[in-house]
């Protein structure tokens, strides 16, 4: 296989869709297509990206309405068959609402939107999304969200830890997230959700390339 | 029958009403009257400002496009469209939604021109933070800007905020937006070609913003009605869909013209699209999507509901347009067609309601307003500097200045804005100007907003010139060539001659400065009647300026980069304190004249800086503004949070008062830092441009130390400085009263 | 101890984008025919360490006016009840 | 016509950042002593074009479970009343 085929799902209100497309296509030189939320099936892709943004205005609850978009059944089927899915920011929130990942998101502790570079630590490098990083690597990568205060009950947290499902932790907790969690993976290891934006740290000009290796890891894994 | 009471309460004068009668040769219908009142208002018709705005330069070193609703410049085959607009009064009563809908409005102006919005900025003014309501306003406005901009996915990359008592009771919220398009993709805001369709797209129409016109209601207002708010709830989600749908229909080639329904809604869109297209429009109201029941025709015509647009579509292509809008779950209905005679003809279920020549509506009267130099100027313009006592501890003064909310770091604000989305922001907020790259080229745009309104209060003409000069200086510090301006002119009641004098002089100041720098004024906006019971706000001609960077690798930021670099001061420090933040804060005086401005010297300093940056000689460049040399240097040390770098400034040797030296706000000064080996080349460049250059110290260490003639004036740790400056605003907001 | 339940709603004359989005979402969940209108407001529970009902009522009213709602666009109402 | 008032609240075991922020804001407005706790939830008004109360109740309950609340972090309750 020469190129990986990425599918970037576009919900009304998604706004990092172009950015993800750009990085995958122009920086990483892979095949990318948009998947409109009204489609009911995912076809011909190796990895689905649920991009950041404000799907349906984030009204009611982040990700709550998007979770019922027609495409989500397709995404769930795709994931259940072992397909790779990465949800970034709003994408992560949608994955939580859809039940593909455990837990929920609360408002940031300071009740403000926070946009800035943060440092996150890699906890699990044995995933399709992180295999190219060094063990315990610290990445500089931006966050931009209102609701990144990850919540999970104690039992759930224990399970996450036991199964090595916590993939990223903030070095300094910006939003109140339980156990400094910045990103988690499902038990099966094919669905990743993360609040930081790897697409925003994929080019030198923008201050950091630490995020690019997530996408590169995916390519590496599928090949 | 229309009574004088009716038209007067709509804001029309007797004379204007007589003019309408003679133009129509009959009495207007209620709907027509509402339309005239809207079109001939200050807001839409610019009746008291248009005469003066004519003098603003329409050309400059970059080819300029003055569009119907916004303007821009061309860089190669890219059009950069930008504009700034005010939303002051709605924000004063409902800060979050007022600011949000302000952002929404200006962004609509950009994408209806066919440009994809790529960045927003703002210019904000509040009264003193010691008043709880002003705190509430600041928090609400910032919340509104983040709520709207973040959701739309347009990065908010910069702005400015000042606090002054003059804005008590009347805050200013000016929003600026920048978009880009291929030169040949730009859209026009007119309707033409007999038989082509007029389509209504976007949100439904409700009774929003018809406040002023409600006198036309024939029925008695029932309880809820009478208090109908003029503030609306912003819906960035809808607008995001509208952006995508609009850019998609524009790419079909079927759209001949498109216009946002902003002020005066449908009235403005219909009459201006017809008159700008030198044609007429015939339309039927019953097809318009309504959100509320039993709306009167005049209500529909003046409603200012958000997120709606009027589109002129090639006959036969309506279906294609409709399909695109349905894909985004948005309305798109055909409501009329272009006709040959230049009339606006409006029907309501087959009954004719309006039949007026389009350009009668759009040609609002223009007035020459009387003006007179304000009384206050005599009193405050002279400042006897000898009665201003020099403080004994300059460390304390510096810390107090860094704490003052107008100077303090605005990180608390811009951290709430998504300033990175769209992957273009190369220089993030926190430096003199933000820089966004133009993907697919080697170029970048720098943008800034600036205006010191205290200077404008003391000296409107020079204050306005300084606003332009400072904006240009900020761009230059980022490595950009100043290219073009948008302005937002916030003033008091234009009918008061002293206010109008301020306005006139500020417009003249902007004009002269822009002509001097050879930059055009591509777009702008006027907001009058910014008054509180104590009087008008300070004259505030906010300047938004964009600059062009030809080589993205030659971008510069304001903070020191290395230890042991040389610190250079370009320009001359005069013994002047007039209008300074220091004078206000420490001596509680708003007096004197605005700082001197020698435009030739300003240009020399800017050319020197730009050339040195382009030649790769400097490591940082920061202009001096509020708080003067001491504050500017401190900012160089600490504005990169990840790497604080100290400085020892021990070679000042100036022969002026110490407070003027440290905190005076002389214009046309820039701080550079460079490696020692670059100094000679920079000196050569300075000499060529006849710029005064002085090496005043070097970087390094973890303290900020300033001395003059062996006299230690300032000696503070970087932690102390950084903590004071970067947390001040947050502390002010969190502190209870 | 008293507990106030404060309800803050957008005025009827003001569009409620959030309500609209929720309505559309419910419609697409197959409640197409039944749903007439949806409006989303705030529910603020306040526990007060006081027992004087009269005073509490006055205080909550003040809070609503000052902070919890903006009378330009919102209406509010509240109830008070005794709790442990 | 029926109108449902749906109340959605964060579970007691979940920290409520917005409630805390509101509490602090109220405290700084000089209600320092009285305020014990503040929690911010949602109030969703739904007008239903139907008259069968039983059916309506069932339907609203469904909506709450599916969309209007997130059972991981939220509780809900509702009331139904007849309106014109
Ligand atoms: N309202 C705002 N929104 C976004 N950024 C802001 C705002 N106010 C100030 N900033 C940013 O903070 C930095 C310092 O601003 P300012 O003190 O106005 O700079 P200067 O004096 O150089 O014009 C700039 O990067 C500016 O864009
Ligand atoms: Mg500056």
């Amino acid at each position: 296989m020469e190129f990986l085929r990425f599918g970037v799902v576009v919900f009304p209100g998604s706004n990092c869709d172009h950015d993800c497309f750009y990085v995958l296509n122009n920086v990483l030189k892979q095949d990318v297509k948009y998947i409109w939320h009204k489609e009911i099936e995912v076809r011909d892709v190796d990895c689905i990206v649920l991009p950041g943004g404000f799907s349906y205005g984030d009204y009611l609850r982040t990700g709550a309405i998007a979770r019922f978009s027609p495409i989500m059944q397709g995404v769930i089927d795709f994931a259940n068959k072992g397909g790779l899915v990465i949800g970034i920011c709003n994408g992560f929130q949608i994955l939580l609402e859809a039940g593909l990942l455990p837990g929920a998101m609360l408002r940031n502790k300071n009740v403000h939107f926070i946009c800035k570079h943060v440092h996150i630590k890699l906890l699990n490098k044995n995933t399709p999304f992180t295999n190219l990083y060094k063990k315990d690597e610290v990445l500089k990568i931006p966050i931009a969200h209102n609701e990144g205060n990850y919540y999970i009950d104690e039992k759930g947290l224990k399970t996450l830890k036991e199964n090595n499902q916590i993939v990223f932790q903030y070095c300094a907790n910006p939003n109140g997230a339980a156990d400094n969690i910045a990103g988690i993976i499902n038990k099966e290891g094919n669905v990743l959700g993360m609040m930081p934006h790897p697409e925003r740290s994929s080019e030198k000009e923008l201050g950091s390339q630490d995020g690019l290796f997530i996408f590169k890891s995916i390519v590496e894994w599928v090949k | 029958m229309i009574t004088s009471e009716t038209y007067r309460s709509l804001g029309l004068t007797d004379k204007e009403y007589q003019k309408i009668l003679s133009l129509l040769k009959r009495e207007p219908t209620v709907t027509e009257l509402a339309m005239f009142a809207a079109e001939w208002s200050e807001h839409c018709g610019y009746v008291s400002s248009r005469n003066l705005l004519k003098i603003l330069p329409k050309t400059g070193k970059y080819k300029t496009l003055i569009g119907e609703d916004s303007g821009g410049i061309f860089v190669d085959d890219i059009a950069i469209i930008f504009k700034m607009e005010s939303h002051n009064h709605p924000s004063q009563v409902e800060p979050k939604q007022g600011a949000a809908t302000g952002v929404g409005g200006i962004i609509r102006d950009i994408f209806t021109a066919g440009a994809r919005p790529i960045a927003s900025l703002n210019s904000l003014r509040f009264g003193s933070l010691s008043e709880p309501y002003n705190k509430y306003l600041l928090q609400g406005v910032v919340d509104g800007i983040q709520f709207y901009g973040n959701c739309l996915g347009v990065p908010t990359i910069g702005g400015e905020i000042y606090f002054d008592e003059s804005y008590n009771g009347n805050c200013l919220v000016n929003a600026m937006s920048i978009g880009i398009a291929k030169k040949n993709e730009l859209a026009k805001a007119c309707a033409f070609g007999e038989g082509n369709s007029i389509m209504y797209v976007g949100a439904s129409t409700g009774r929003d913003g018809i406040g002023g016109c409600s006198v036309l209601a024939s029925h008695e207002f029932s309880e809820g009605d009478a208090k109908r708010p003029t503030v609306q709830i912003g819906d960035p989600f809808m607008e995001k869909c509208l952006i995508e749908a609009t850019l998609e229909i524009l790419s079909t080639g079927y759209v001949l013209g498109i216009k946002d329904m902003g002020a005066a809604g449908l009235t403005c869109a219909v009459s201006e699209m017809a008159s700008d297209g030198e044609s007429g429009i015939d339309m039927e109201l019953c097809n318009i999507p309504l959100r509320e029941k039993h709306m009167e025709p005049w209500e529909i015509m003046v409603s200012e509901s958000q997120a709606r647009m009027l589109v002129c579509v090639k006959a036969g292509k309506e279906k294609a347009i409709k399909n695109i809008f349905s894909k985004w779950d948005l309305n798109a209905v055909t409501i009329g067609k272009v006709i040959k005679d230049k009339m606006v003809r409006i029907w309501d279920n087959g009954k004719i309601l309006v039949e007026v020549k389009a350009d009668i509506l759009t040609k609002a009267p223009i007035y020459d307003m009387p003006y007179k130099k304000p009384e206050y100027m005599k009193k405050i313009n002279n400042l006897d500097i000898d009665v201003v006592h020099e403080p004994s501890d300059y460390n304390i003064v510096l810390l107090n200045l860094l704490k003052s909310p107008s100077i303090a770091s605005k990180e608390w604000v811009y951290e709430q804005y998504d300033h990175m989305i769209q992957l273009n922001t190369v220089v993030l907020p926190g430096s003199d100007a933000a820089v966004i790259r133009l993907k697919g080229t080697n170029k970048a745009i720098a943008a800034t907003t600036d205006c010191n309104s205290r200077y404008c209060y003391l000296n409107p003409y020079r204050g306005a010139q300084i606003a332009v000069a400072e904006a240009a200086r900020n761009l230059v510090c980022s490595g950009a060539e100043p290219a073009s301006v948008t302005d937002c002119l916030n003033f008091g009641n234009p009918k008061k001659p002293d206010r109008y004098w301020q306005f006139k002089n500020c417009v003249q100041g902007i004009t002269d400065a822009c002509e001097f720098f050879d930059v055009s004024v591509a777009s702008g906006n006027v907001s009058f009647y910014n008054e509180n019971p104590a009087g008008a706000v300070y004259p505030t001609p906010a300047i938004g300026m964009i600059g062009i960077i030809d080589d993205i690798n030659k971008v510069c930021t304001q903070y020191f980069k290395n230890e042991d670099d040389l610190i250079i001061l370009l320009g001359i420090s005069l013994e002047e304190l007039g209008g300074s933040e220091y004078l206000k804060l420490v001596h509680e005086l708003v007096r004197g004249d605005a700082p001197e401005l020698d435009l030739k010297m300003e240009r020399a300093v800017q050319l020197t800086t730009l050339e040195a940056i382009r030649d790769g000689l400097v490591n940082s460049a920061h202009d001096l503004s509020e708080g003067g040399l001491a504050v500017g240097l401190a900012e160089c040390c600490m504005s990169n949070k990840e790497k604080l770098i100290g400085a020892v400034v021990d070679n000042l040797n100036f022969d002026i008062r110490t407070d003027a030296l440290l905190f005076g706000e002389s214009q046309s000064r820039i701080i550079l830092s460079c490696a020692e080996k670059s100094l000679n080349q920079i000196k050569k460049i300075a000499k060529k441009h006849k710029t005064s250059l002085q090496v005043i110290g070097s970087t390094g260490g973890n303290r900020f130390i300033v001395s003059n003639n062996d006299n230690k004036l300032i000696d503070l740790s970087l932690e102390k400085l950084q903590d004071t400056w970067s947390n001040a605003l947050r502390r002010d907001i969190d502190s209870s009263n | 101890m008293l507990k106030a339940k404060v309800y803050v709603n957008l005025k009827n004359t003001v569009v409620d984008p959030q309500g609209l989005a929720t309505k559309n979402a419910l419609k697409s969940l197959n409640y197409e025919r039944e749903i007439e209108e949806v409006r989303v407001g705030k529910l603020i529970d306040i526990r007060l360490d006081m027992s004087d009902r009269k005073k509490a009522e006055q205080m909550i009213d003040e809070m609503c006016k000052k902070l919890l709602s903006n009378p330009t666009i919102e209406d509010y109402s509240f109830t008070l009840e005794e709790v442990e």
Side-chain angles (χ1 to χ4, degrees), chain B residues 432 470 474 558 622-623 625:
Chain B
D432 281 321
E470 193 192 334
N474 277 321
Q558 72 178 34
H622 184 30
D623 80 309
S625 54

Short mmCIF file of all heavy atoms in Angstrom, two decimals, chain B residues 432 470 474 558 622-623 625, ligand 2:
data_model
loop_
_atom_site.label_atom_id
_atom_site.label_comp_id
_atom_site.label_asym_id
_atom_site.label_seq_id
_atom_site.Cartn_x
_atom_site.Cartn_y
_atom_site.Cartn_z
N ASP B 432 4.20 42.52 19.45
CA ASP B 432 3.63 43.79 18.97
C ASP B 432 2.53 43.59 17.95
O ASP B 432 1.52 44.28 17.96
CB ASP B 432 4.74 44.67 18.37
CG ASP B 432 5.53 45.35 19.47
OD1 ASP B 432 4.91 45.77 20.45
OD2 ASP B 432 6.76 45.46 19.35
N GLU B 470 1.70 54.40 15.35
CA GLU B 470 1.98 53.30 16.27
C GLU B 470 1.60 51.96 15.67
O GLU B 470 2.32 50.97 15.82
CB GLU B 470 1.26 53.49 17.62
CG GLU B 470 1.83 52.51 18.63
CD GLU B 470 1.03 52.38 19.91
OE1 GLU B 470 0.32 53.32 20.28
OE2 GLU B 470 1.14 51.30 20.53
N ASN B 474 4.17 48.93 15.13
CA ASN B 474 3.97 47.57 15.64
C ASN B 474 4.14 46.54 14.53
O ASN B 474 4.72 45.48 14.73
CB ASN B 474 2.57 47.44 16.25
CG ASN B 474 2.52 47.95 17.68
OD1 ASN B 474 3.45 47.74 18.44
ND2 ASN B 474 1.46 48.61 18.04
N GLN B 558 8.92 40.42 19.85
CA GLN B 558 9.36 41.52 20.69
C GLN B 558 10.29 41.13 21.84
O GLN B 558 10.95 41.98 22.41
CB GLN B 558 8.15 42.27 21.25
CG GLN B 558 7.37 41.51 22.32
CD GLN B 558 6.20 42.35 22.86
OE1 GLN B 558 5.58 43.13 22.15
NE2 GLN B 558 5.92 42.20 24.14
N HIS B 622 10.89 45.75 19.51
CA HIS B 622 9.70 46.11 20.27
C HIS B 622 9.57 47.62 20.28
O HIS B 622 10.53 48.32 20.57
CB HIS B 622 9.84 45.57 21.71
CG HIS B 622 8.63 45.81 22.57
ND1 HIS B 622 7.35 45.87 22.07
CD2 HIS B 622 8.52 46.00 23.91
CE1 HIS B 622 6.49 46.07 23.07
NE2 HIS B 622 7.18 46.16 24.20
N ASP B 623 8.38 48.09 19.97
CA ASP B 623 8.21 49.55 19.97
C ASP B 623 7.89 50.03 21.38
O ASP B 623 7.39 49.27 22.21
CB ASP B 623 7.10 49.96 19.01
CG ASP B 623 5.73 49.77 19.61
OD1 ASP B 623 5.48 48.66 20.09
OD2 ASP B 623 4.94 50.72 19.61
N SER B 625 5.63 52.29 23.79
CA SER B 625 4.37 53.02 23.81
C SER B 625 4.01 53.34 25.25
O SER B 625 4.84 53.90 25.97
CB SER B 625 3.28 52.22 23.09
OG SER B 625 3.16 50.92 23.63
MG1 LIG E 2 3.68 47.61 20.62
#
